[in-house]
Every structure is written in C-alpha cells, then in structure tokens.
Amino acid sequence: MSHQFIRVALPVPLRRLFDYRLPERAAMPVVGGRVRVPFGQRQLIGFVVEQNVTPELDPETIKPVTEVLDQEPLWPLSIWQLLVWAARYYHHPLGDVLSHAAPALVRQGQLPRYEQTTWYTLTKEGEAVTPADLARAPQQQRLLAALANGPAEASVVRALDIPASTVKTLLDKQWISTEQRSNEPQNWVFTGANDPLQLNTEQAVAVAAMKAPLERGDPTVWLLEGVTGSGKTEVYLQAMAPVLERGQQVVILVPEIGLTPQTVARFSKRFNVPIVSLHSGLTDSERLQGWLQARDGKAAIIIGTRSAIFTPCQNIGLMILDEEHDNSFKQQDGFRYNARDLAVKRAHQEGFGLVLGSATPSLESLANVAAKRYQYLRLTQRAGPAQQAQHAVIDLKQQRIESGLSDQLLTTMAKHLQAGNQVLIFLNRRGYASALLCHECGWVSECHRCQANMTLHQFDHLLQCHHCGAQKSIPRQCGGCGSTQLVSQGIGTEQVQETIARRLPGYGILRIDRDSTRRKGQLAEALNAAAEGDYPILIGTQMVAKGHHFPNVTLVALLDVDGALYSSDFRAAERLAQLYLQVAGRAGRAEKKGTVVLQTHHPEHPLIQELVNNGYSHFARAALEERKLALLPPYAAMALIRSEATSKDAAEQLLKAIANSLQGVDNVTVIGPMPAPLGRRAGRYRYQLLLHAEQRAPLHNTLMHYLPTFEKLPETRKARWSLDIDPQDFA
C-alpha cells in the first residue's frame, strides 16, 4: 500500500514546511487542522497546509504523524488566507504565525470547545429515600432536598457547603447521577440601543457617511480624525447600532489592556448584547471561551488588544481601531506584525467596514487619505459643553526647579486645586530617579547586562533595569570608590509624587504607572478612582494618556519632554506631537475649561511652537511633505535586520555578511551595519542593518530571494538575527 503524505507548518524559527507520513488507514486531515508530530526529541502541534504531497526526501525516511487532532479547520478560510498572507508579507515562519494566532490552549493540543460543567440529578432510587432514612446523615439529607426541585450545577452544590465526600457517597449509592453539559451560550438578539446621545452636526455627518457602505458590505476604510473630547466613541456606538440590528458582529481593537474595562462598560451600557474581551490579562481558559464565542457568532461585540485581529467571526460587519496611531498595535518581537495594517487587509478580504479613529492620526493613515485609499471624516469641535483647552509654555531656563517641577507650575497647580478641580501631571518615566550617582567619583548605577542605567525605585528600596528587568537592593556604598555619598540623578514619577506631597500638602495623590498597577484589577481601580475625582492630584505615565475620561481634570502639565526634540529617530517629532495632544486631551473634557502646560528649556523650538499655536493637523501635513522630500515612510519602504550576540564582533560580523550578500541589488539601499541605540541589552550586544526602497515590491522581492542565503551564512552560528518589516521602533 502506498503511503500518503502531508505538509505541516510547525511553530519553530525556520522558514520552511515539513513533510509527514500518514499512518495506514488514517483519514486525510483537513488543511488548517492540527496534527501532533515528532520533531527531533519532541512532540509538536503543527498545522496542515497541504494534502497529498510528493515528499522532497526519501519517503522511507519520513516520520509518521502521531495524532490527528481536528476534523474541521481551526479557522474559516478568510482568516486562514489572512494568516498565510501575513507570514509572506512579514517574511516570518508560517508555523509561528499560525501558532501566534491560535489560543494558547489550542496550540497546546486542547480541543477548541466550550467549558463543560457538571450537573447533579436525583435518580429514582434517590427519590424513594425519605428524611427518616437519613436521620443520622444531615448532609446527605440536605443534598437530596436541594436536588428534589430539579438538577443543580456543581457550583450550586459547592455553594451549599456540602462536602465532596457526601456527594461521592450518594453517587456510590446511585441516589444521584452526574452529567456533563456544555456552556455554549445562546444566540443573541438585538433589542435596541439604550439612551443614545444627541449628535452634533459633525458627528451626524460621520455616522451618515458610514451607513450605506456598511449596509452594502463595502470594504470601506474611514479615518475618523476627531480632537480629544469630540465624541468619537459616540460616533462608533451609533454606527454600530444598525450593524448589530442586522445580526452582524462588531470588533473593536484598543491599544492597551487599560482601555478595555472602560470600553466594555461603555458598550455594555448602550447595548444589551453579549460582549467578550480578549487580551493578555485573561486566563488561557477565558481567552479560549471568548475566541469560541466570537467564532461561532455567540458574541455580538468583541473588544480586544492587538492580537484580537486574528479572532475569527461568524458574521463581522464592522471593525473599529481606536487610537489607530498608537505604537502598541505593532508587535515588537517575534512575529512583528502591525494590527492596523492587517485590519485593512482583513476588511478587504472579508468585505466589512473599518473605522480608524484618532485625535492624532498616524502619518501613514493621513497619506492614505491623500491617496484616496481611505475616506476622511473629521470632528473639529468638542462634544457637548466641553471647550478647547488653553495651551501655555513655561520656559525653564533660569527657573528654580525641584524634581522637574517649576515654582510657576506649582503655583498654577495650587490655584486649580483650591478651586476644587483635579490636576494631572504627566511624566513618561516611572521609578524615583533615572540613576544612582556617586557624588565623589561620578560612578553611576549601570545594569551589568545592558548599556543603560538602573532606575532607582525608592518606595521598593531597589535598583531596577527597565530593559531586562534585573533588580538589586540599593547599595550603601559606591561601587567605584566605596564612598557613602550616593545621590539620585534625574526624576521619575515616585520623586514627583514625593515632592508634590511636600510642596502641596493636604491633597490626595494617585500615581498611575506600571509599578503602581502590577496586580490584576489595580489599573481599572486606579482609573475609576481618577475618573470619580477621589484624588485631586494624578501623576501618570503613558498609561493615562490614552482615551481616558477624567471630567474633573482642568490642568494637565507635561514634564521633561525635551529629549524627544533632538532624537535621531525620524518618527520622534510625530510621537512627541501625538503624545502632547493625547495628554492635553485629558484637560477640560466636561463643563470646566481646561489648561495645558508644557515645561521646556526650548520654548522657541519649531515643533513646540507649531503644536501650541497651530495644532496637530497643521503639523502632520507639514511633516508629510518633509517625509516625501526625504523619501521616508510612508513614501518609502523599510526593513530592519537586527542581530544580537554575547560577542560584539559576532553581532557586527553577521550583519556585515548580510550586507555583503546584498551588494549590487537594484532599487534597495543598504544602510549599516551600526550599533543599535541600546547597544547592549540583557547581556547581548545589538547591531542593526536598514534596508530602504522607494517601492515595496523591490524590497520584498529582494528579501524573498536572499533570506535563504542569510540563513545559511556561517556567521549565524554565533549570533541571532531577526527581520522587522515596516519598523516603528529603532531602539
């Protein structure tokens, strides 16, 4: 009997597929289904990509499939095609892409099914038992009485504090029986929207523009640019209502986990339909159940972070990316995809509408508007009674500064606090200080594994590296000369909190950063407390800049942003502009008028003058012209090849070998190799090589042709390398 062979994608860092032999009389597995196969000394879960293949090797040497796990494809055809396309576009191993998109329990081999729950039922023998028969067994009597009204779930029995031994005894006596029931939810029905708000003219125009294309199922992409507080969420909600009424699903992607609870709360209040959230803060079981509900159409609204872009839906009608400019939509390690770009591809493949919303749109999206690829919708006015905030600049030159706070800012804060309002201080640096310094010899607390200082965390009494996570207790003496004269250098949110508490006593302070919100639920609690006005003074990092609604905040102050003004990264100006406007948008979101204060040593800098006087839109259009002249993205294509090794020479030599192999390639410019901005991280030296092309096609064709050559270079034995298509971060 001739053997049958299949081609399998495995979750390994190799850009190739693997052939396996089917056992005799085994049914042919489906494309998109999982199989368990031997790989070296391990058993791996792989994904079938081709049936009935002719093996490239001697058929007798090909290993057999251990187990076929699925009778049906794991994903619908549209998602399967998206994943295959993504692997090709990002030049990433297909098996790793498929594994990334599958829920954790599924890629571990578990069947994708709803949770089973145990139910207890009274048998005929149990019905015949009387209380007198159990006079000496009160717990058995209670359980039989509880089941006399009908079957009960195991959790109900546990809530009655009936011991497991009692349950086992009645099962052994066959007075009760058990059965497993699936927790598959019921189908949902749209029953209308609760209390929609009155739209202003601009909001109504935006909702009306989406109506007909959404009804037709056109794969239209809208860029909704709305100033902070302009009511973009209300536009989303009212655009969603007719989609849900038609029985279609809506997917909403948000950049951070912190935005998920408030988004779920807002959407739950408006629509009485099942909503699931998908993000890394959930257990593996919770994520699988949400994934199944989305796939089977049991969830009407799916709210998730970046990876939710791969969630299959039975009948999707609309997708929304809120804060579309946010860099969190780009995966920065492993499979380096951009969820925003994949959302556009998915909308065209599946035929649904996509809304990209932001107060500070990415230059890529604005370029697509200019090229007529996206429809443009704009909200220029704040919704309801809210007014645009006033902007002011404090020149720090020759001012007395304590922990980054000028006397002028502290005086302004006092005025707002005395009026009963909230104040938000933004500093994108957690910890107490940037470093610990010896006052006598200049020794600095450097991380021994990274080319970076260790941050001083005074409240936790430790030094921590924010790049590799290394920690150590604060030393009593200098590591260089032994002096005890150690002082802190730079500022962090902890130090700002300490200084404000001393200079403005009597006001409650809430610090919101990664250190203060480590435990599950802490971030949501902190954001709720901030929104309720429980703390007059809020201090936060980027966590507080994104889409949060703090109605009592009337003053927002940004500390220490000067470093971004002279960055070598061509995206630094765009990032600073977005950050400034996003943070500024937390001020004056209700009836109270807001003020935004920016402290700087360079008030005359063109970027600061542009943002304060002309706003983001004017800046963005000027920046696009500069990018076009300089042939930078979005008017060019880039790929970044990174190497890292324990030896500096090994990291550099690998990229030199790659650069040499690309000599003479047409239409692609090779820049480097050069040390990465963070030249050493977690004990490994890091180099990078930039590939630049005016068009995407030559860049991708070059990579497709040369990647096999790179993988065979002898230098790869001493250094690791990775490829980042359309890089967003050059650190």
Side-chain angles (χ1 to χ4, degrees):
M1 179 181 175
S2 61
H3 293 297
Q4 292 180 298
F5 299 91
I6 59 173
R7 196 149 286 161
V8 178
L10 293 176
V12 294
L14 299 170
R15 291 175 177 82
R16 54 162 294 194
L17 304 173
F18 300 87
D19 293 345
Y20 285 91
R21 172 168 49 86
L22 280 181
E24 290 184 18
R25 290 184 290 277
M28 178 64 68
V30 295
V31 170
R34 297 167 302 151
V35 288
R36 194 186 306 275
V37 295
F39 187 78
Q41 300 299 311
R42 299 178 290 164
Q43 290 283 326
L44 296 181
I45 305 296
F47 303 87
V48 180
V49 296
E50 198 176 338
Q51 302 168 320
N52 295 312
V53 300
T54 302
E56 298 168 356
L57 304 174
D58 178 0
E60 297 304 317
T61 65
I62 293 177
K63 295 179 180 179
V65 171
T66 305
E67 183 183 6
V68 176
L69 297 173
D70 298 313
Q71 304 304 317
E72 299 287 335
L74 196 60
W75 296 279
L77 181 60
S78 59
I79 297 290
W80 176 258
Q81 290 171 339
L82 177 72
L83 293 167
V84 172
W85 180 89
R88 192 166 59 247
Y89 180 82
Y90 292 104
H91 300 276
H92 196 77
L94 177 59
D96 200 46
V97 171
L98 297 172
S99 182
H100 180 94
L105 293 176
V106 170
R107 60 176 178 260
Q108 291 165 17
Q110 186 168 310
L111 286 175
R113 64 182 183 186
Y114 293 100
E115 287 179 338
Q116 307 285 305
T117 52
T118 302
W119 286 71
Y120 297 107
T121 307
L122 209 56
T123 62
K124 287 186 178 179
E125 292 83 353
E127 289 173 357
V129 177
T130 65
D133 298 331
L134 296 173
R136 294 188 175 183
Q139 296 286 26
Q140 295 182 29
Q141 197 174 348
R142 284 179 62 225
L143 179 53
L144 292 178
L147 298 179
N149 298 322
E153 197 177 347
S155 60
V156 174
V157 172
R158 284 196 298 273
L160 294 172
D161 290 330
I162 293 173
S165 58
T166 300
V167 175
K168 185 178 184 306
T169 299
L170 295 190
L171 285 169
D172 291 343
K173 292 180 177 179
Q174 297 186 344
W175 290 353
I176 63 173
S177 62
T178 64
E179 65 171 321
Q180 298 294 314
R181 295 187 188 178
S182 170
N183 277 349
E184 181 174 351
Q186 299 295 313
N187 292 326
W188 56 275
V189 177
F190 182 70
T191 56
N194 303 320
D195 305 321
L197 303 179
Q198 182 70 39
L199 298 177
N200 63 29
T201 303
E202 289 181 329
Q203 290 173 309
V205 167
V207 173
M210 298 179 203
K211 189 171 185 294
L214 288 174
E215 285 177 355
R216 293 193 302 267
D218 290 348
T220 308
V221 181
W222 292 278
L223 176 64
L224 178 63
E225 180 180 358
V227 298
T228 51
S230 59
K232 290 186 292 295
T233 305
E234 187 62 30
V235 171
Y236 302 156
L237 289 162
Q238 298 212 18
M240 288 167 58
V243 175
L244 295 168
E245 195 170 1
R246 289 191 291 273
Q248 294 179 297
Q249 295 165 285
V250 178
V251 175
I252 298 122
L253 298 186
V254 293
E256 299 280 359
I257 295 173
L259 290 173
T260 311
Q262 72 174 47
T263 308
V264 171
R266 182 95 182 259
F267 286 56
S268 300
K269 190 176 178 183
R270 181 64 58 90
F271 303 119
N272 296 317
V273 294
I275 299 176
V276 298
S277 57
L278 295 168
H279 55 77
S280 59
L282 303 174
T283 65
D284 289 345
S285 179
E286 288 169 336
R287 292 189 78 169
L288 175 58
Q289 298 307 303
W291 186 87
L292 288 168
Q293 290 174 48
R295 184 196 69 176
D296 298 341
K298 305 295 185 182
I301 300 172
I302 298 96
I303 300 172
T305 47
R306 179 178 58 228
S307 61
I309 185 61
F310 301 114
T311 304
C313 294
Q314 190 179 80
N315 186 15
I316 182 172
L318 174 64
M319 182 179 287
I320 297 164
L321 254 87
D322 196 25
E323 312 290 355
E324 66 86 29
H325 68 278
D326 199 286
N327 204 31
S328 299
F329 285 121
K330 179 74 158 76
Q331 174 85 11
Q332 300 292 3
D333 53 21
F335 172 31
R336 294 171 168 85
Y337 64 94
N338 191 318
R340 182 188 64 220
D341 297 344
L342 288 180
V344 175
K345 180 68 176 176
R346 182 174 175 181
H348 283 288
Q349 280 191 343
E350 295 189 44
F352 58 78
L354 171 64
V355 180
L356 306 176
S358 177
T360 54
S362 63
L363 297 190
E364 284 81 0
S365 293
L366 288 169
N368 279 320
V369 167
K372 309 293 184 188
R373 286 188 283 268
Y374 297 174
Q375 302 291 320
Y376 185 49
L377 303 170
R378 196 168 180 197
L379 308 177
T380 61
Q381 302 296 321
R382 285 196 158 187
Q387 304 171 48
Q388 293 288 4
Q390 288 184 326
H391 294 252
V393 176
I394 294 178
D395 186 351
L396 292 177
K397 290 192 290 289
Q398 298 178 356
Q399 280 220 36
R400 191 171 82 91
I401 303 169
E402 185 177 3
S403 302
L405 299 154
S406 64
D407 286 346
Q408 188 178 340
L409 175 57
L410 287 162
T411 301
T412 306
M413 290 173 61
K415 288 179 183 176
H416 284 261
L417 292 168
Q418 287 161 11
N421 300 318
Q422 274 180 302
V423 170
L424 170 61
I425 305 297
F426 174 84
L427 174 65
N428 204 26
R429 196 179 300 119
R430 59 195 172 100
Y432 185 85
S434 306
L436 193 64
L437 179 79
C438 176
H439 189 58
E440 294 194 14
C441 75
W443 170 87
V444 179
S445 57
E446 292 182 343
C447 176
H448 70 283
R449 304 175 69 215
C450 302
Q451 188 182 328
N453 297 331
M454 296 191 86
T455 301
L456 173 63
H457 288 256
Q458 192 88 324
F459 294 171
D460 292 332
H461 304 291
L462 56 82
L463 294 170
Q464 183 180 46
C465 176
H466 288 174
H467 299 285
C468 71
Q471 293 182 357
K472 64 180 180 181
S473 56
I474 299 172
R476 296 180 182 275
Q477 292 178 295
C478 167
C481 68
S483 167
T484 57
Q485 299 297 309
L486 300 180
V487 295
S488 60
Q489 185 79 5
I491 57 169
T493 49
E494 290 180 10
Q495 190 178 149
V496 172
Q497 179 180 358
E498 181 182 272
T499 301
I500 291 176
R502 188 176 69 254
R503 295 289 299 271
L504 297 172
Y507 295 104
I509 301 175
L510 177 64
R511 178 167 56 90
I512 304 176
D513 56 27
R514 199 182 301 171
D515 298 316
S516 64
T517 56
R518 286 186 197 132
R519 294 197 304 274
K520 189 173 182 178
Q522 271 188 309
L523 178 58
E525 289 173 14
L527 292 171
N528 286 335
E532 293 295 324
D534 295 346
Y535 294 87
I537 301 172
L538 310 175
I539 301 170
T541 56
Q542 279 201 39
M543 283 182 163
V544 299
K546 301 172 181 180
H548 301 296
H549 182 65
F550 304 136
N552 296 312
V553 169
T554 57
L555 174 66
V556 166
L558 291 88
L559 311 184
D560 199 18
V561 297
D562 286 353
L565 296 174
Y566 300 101
S567 170
S568 59
D569 186 346
F570 71 89
R571 285 196 173 89
E574 179 188 2
R575 298 263 165 78
L576 177 57
Q578 289 166 342
L579 182 63
Y580 173 68
L581 270 299
Q582 291 289 333
V583 177
R586 302 316 109 206
R589 292 177 67 91
E591 293 83 359
K592 300 174 181 179
K593 194 162 186 178
T595 301
V596 182
V597 173
L598 175 66
Q599 291 192 149
T600 177
H601 284 94
H602 308 283
E604 71 290 341
H605 193 283
L607 176 57
I608 288 178
Q609 289 297 315
E610 178 86 358
L611 294 175
V612 171
N613 297 320
N614 301 321
Y616 183 81
S617 292
H618 195 275
F619 154 79
R621 280 146 187 82
L624 276 173
E625 284 303 312
E626 291 176 10
R627 296 268 186 98
K628 186 182 285 188
L629 291 171
L631 284 177
L632 289 170
Y635 301 104
M638 283 185 174
L640 189 67
I641 301 176
R642 295 180 174 93
S643 69
E644 58 175 54
T646 52
S647 158
K648 187 176 180 180
D649 285 343
E652 186 178 11
Q653 290 306 318
L654 171 57
L655 292 192
K656 280 185 176 178
I658 289 175
N660 290 337
S661 67
L662 292 171
Q663 279 187 352
V665 172
D666 293 334
N667 302 316
V668 176
T669 303
V670 180
I671 304 168
M674 62 200 114
L678 183 64
R680 188 162 170 260
R681 180 178 181 178
R684 303 182 73 87
Y685 291 93
R686 306 165 76 241
Y687 273 74
Q688 51 195 35
L689 187 73
L690 187 64
L691 308 185
H692 176 281
E694 292 185 31
Q695 303 292 330
R696 289 186 189 280
L699 178 64
H700 285 274
N701 291 338
T702 298
L703 287 168
M704 203 169 294
H705 180 75
Y706 281 94
L707 279 173
T709 304
F710 301 165
E711 289 172 336
K712 293 172 185 171
L713 290 170
E715 289 83 358
T716 57
R717 298 191 193 108
K718 295 182 179 179
R720 291 198 303 237
W721 66 282
S722 62
L723 174 64
D724 190 356
I725 301 295
D726 305 329
Q728 297 290 312
D729 186 358
F730 291 88

